[in-house]
Structures are given as structure tokens and as C-alpha cells.
């Protein structure tokens, strides 16, 4: 694993809740280094906007609140795939199914949300392989003109997603 990916995983671990209620699964951290948990990126902004539109804003730190709910964002592939060709990307995603299944078995989430429609079948297969009976959802990735579709999909599912009671 490259130094960059070690930094990504170390950062991700800092935001891992003790009890994961809802697992969000992205495709991979981007090659640009614009990782969700670093903040100030499109995925974080769209997720925060959807969460606040649905559950209101408490004015506190978005990532702390996300974690307090028991929400966690992991990726299917733990190395960037966004600069690969479509066949290479598909192969990496398929190869990552077993690794994700292992993580799902460990996390025992109460719900799973694929943050990209195209990875849904792999995420579903990983969840089934992990013996997870958690309800599974998939939303469009909030990029390339899909932002409003992402928001609409998230507004529908957020109220139904399991979360730990707000302890503030």
C-alpha cells in the first residue's frame, strides 16, 4: 500500500464508530487525494447537505456527528480506481468483493448504502457472502450531473437509516 493510501486508511480509522449502524460504501478514494474524511470535497459536501436537509443542522462538526450516528464510509477498493480504464476498474472492483465481505462481517452494519449505482451488485454480493441481512440501498454518485439525483435519493433513505441516538 502506498504512503498516500496508508494515510487515507489511518484517517478513515479515526472516524470509525465503535458500533457501525449504517455502512456507506464508495468505489475507492480518488487518485487526487480528495478523500471524504479529509473534508472540503464534493462527496463530503453533498453528504453533509443531504444529512442536514434531512435531519437538520446542529452547527457542530459534520464528521463527529456522522460518527456519533454510527455512520461510516468505507470503500469497495482500497486503492484509487478512478484513473483506470473501464475494464481495469471493473476488474479491481470485482477483485475487492472478498475483502469488502470480510469487512462487512466484521462491522455487522444494520444498513448498507452503495454510493455508486455501478458497484451495487458487488456490494450486495459481498454483504450476502458476509452473512449480512442488513437492508441495502444504492444511490447515484454525486458527480457528473448526478448531484440532484444523489440528494433526492439520500433524502428518501436518510430518515430510514439506522443511527445511534444523538447524545448531544
Amino acid at each position: 500500500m502506498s504512503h498516500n493510501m496508508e494515510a487515507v486508511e489511518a484517517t478513515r480509522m479515526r472516524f470509525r464508530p465503535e458500533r457501525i449502524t449504517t455502512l456507506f460504501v464508495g468505489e475507492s478514494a480518488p487518485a487526487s487525494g480528495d478523500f471524504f474524511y479529509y473534508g472540503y470535497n464534493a462527496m463530503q459536501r453533498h453528504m453533509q447537505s443531504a444529512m442536514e436537509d434531512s435531519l437538520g443542522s446542529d452547527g457542530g462538526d459534520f464528521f463527529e456527528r456522522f460518527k456519533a450516528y454510527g455512520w461510516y464510509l468505507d470503500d469497495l477498493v482500497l486503492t484509487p480506481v478512478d484513473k483506470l480504464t473501464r475494464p481495469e476498474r471493473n476488474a479491481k472492483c470485482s477483485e475487492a468483493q472478498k475483502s469488502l465481505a470480510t469487512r462487512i462481517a466484521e462491522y455487522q452494519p444494520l444498513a448498507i448504502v452503495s454510493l455508486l449505482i455501478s458497484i451495487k451488485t458487488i456490494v450486495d454480493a459481498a454483504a450476502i457472502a458476509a452473512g449480512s441481512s442488513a437492508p441495502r440501498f444504492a444511490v447515484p454518485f454525486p458527480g457528473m450531473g448526478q448531484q440532484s439525483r444523489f440528494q433526492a435519493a439520500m433524502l428518501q433513505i436518510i430518515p430510514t437509516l439506522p443511527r445511534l441516538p444523538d447524545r448531544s
Side-chain angles (χ1 to χ4, degrees):
M1 202 183 295
S2 72
H3 170 70
N4 187 29
M5 292 320 294
E6 284 173 26
V8 162
E9 293 312 315
T11 301
R12 190 193 312 271
M13 283 305 297
R14 285 209 311 273
F15 291 100
R16 181 176 166 181
E18 277 180 47
R19 174 72 184 101
I20 296 173
T21 55
T22 298
L23 176 65
F24 293 89
V25 182
E27 184 181 36
S28 75
S32 68
D34 241 358
F35 178 52
F36 174 73
Y37 282 116
Y38 289 165
Y40 307 107
N41 57 66
M43 177 53 87
Q44 173 261 317
R45 281 193 306 277
H46 292 296
M47 184 72 82
Q48 183 169 354
S49 169
M51 189 173 91
E52 289 176 355
D53 287 353
S54 189
L55 304 173
S57 174
D58 67 355
D61 181 75
F62 163 71
F63 291 117
E64 290 305 320
R65 186 176 181 196
F66 195 80
K67 180 180 179 177
Y69 286 157
W71 291 0
Y72 188 57
L73 189 144
D74 201 348
D75 285 307
L76 171 59
V77 186
L78 299 180
T79 54
V81 298
D82 55 325
K83 300 288 187 231
L84 301 177
T85 65
R86 176 58 53 199
E88 290 172 322
R89 193 171 180 162
N90 291 345
K92 286 275 187 210
C93 287
S94 294
E95 289 162 16
Q97 181 183 314
K98 194 171 181 179
S99 164
L100 181 63
T102 302
R103 286 175 278 144
I104 291 172
E106 179 189 335
Y107 300 156
Q108 297 286 307
L110 303 175
I112 300 170
V113 180
S114 298
L115 295 173
L116 183 70
I117 300 291
S118 67
I119 64 170
K120 180 187 184 333
T121 53
I122 296 170
V123 173
D124 286 354
I128 292 163
S132 172
S133 58
R136 296 186 301 272
F137 305 91
V139 298
F141 181 79
M144 300 190 294
Q146 301 298 311
Q147 293 87 344
S148 58
R149 288 184 60 222
F150 172 83
Q151 291 293 80
M154 289 297 283
L155 288 178
Q156 271 192 310
I157 67 171
I158 284 177
T160 73
L161 294 177
R163 59 184 188 271
L164 297 171
D166 213 336
R167 288 185 290 278
S168 54

